[in-house]
Amino acid sequence: MMDTDGALGRIRDNPFYVLGLRPTASRAEIEREGQKLLGMLELKLASAATYPTPVGPGARTADKVRQAMAALRDPERRLAHEVWARLDPRPPPKDDLDDDLGELPPPEPPGEDPRAPWPEALSALGWRAR
């Protein structure tokens, strides 16, 4: 695979990401997906032109697909690529609550319990009774 920009290039060009498969894929699944992608690229389908990776989208070409299939046929090369393909290529879902939480009020202090092992602990830590 091409090593265009160091480690990021190795992750982006990982054969599993190029083929859109997880490291658990069987040899038959790899061959089937590779042939399917080659056909889609021959037809110039836009859906086959890019693929997701943990470091951003990669450009898929027929040559890259052929190289990926060849790399995954070799057990030693496949093992090395499996290690790097453990990252999920999809970005994490966006959580709307993370965007703007605003100013959160401090939590309410629990009432002091005289049966507690150290009843003055809350006041020693700066909590005031209401």
Side-chain angles (χ1 to χ4, degrees), residues 8-110:
L8 293 180
R10 281 193 296 276
I11 292 172
R12 187 176 298 112
D13 292 339
N14 185 293
F16 287 103
Y17 297 139
V18 171
L19 298 176
L21 297 171
R22 301 301 296 154
T24 56
S26 69
R27 184 173 179 149
E29 289 172 315
I30 291 167
E31 294 297 324
R32 187 172 37 247
E33 189 65 21
Q35 292 303 320
K36 180 180 100 175
L37 288 169
L38 288 172
M40 292 171 71
L41 289 167
E42 181 70 26
L43 295 172
K44 299 188 183 341
L45 298 178
S47 61
T50 61
Y51 57 94
T53 76
V55 295
R60 185 183 284 132
T61 64
D63 187 48
K64 208 180 257 193
V65 171
R66 286 186 197 96
Q67 288 179 15
M69 291 170 66
L72 297 180
R73 287 181 190 123
D74 180 346
E76 288 181 23
R77 288 173 63 195
R78 177 183 171 138
L79 183 59
H81 293 300
E82 283 179 3
V83 171
W84 288 100
R86 297 284 177 201
L87 299 172
D88 190 350
R90 296 166 298 176
K94 184 167 174 43
D95 186 359
D96 293 335
L97 297 177
D98 287 343
D99 288 344
D100 187 356
L101 290 177
E103 199 59 39
L104 295 177
E108 293 286 328

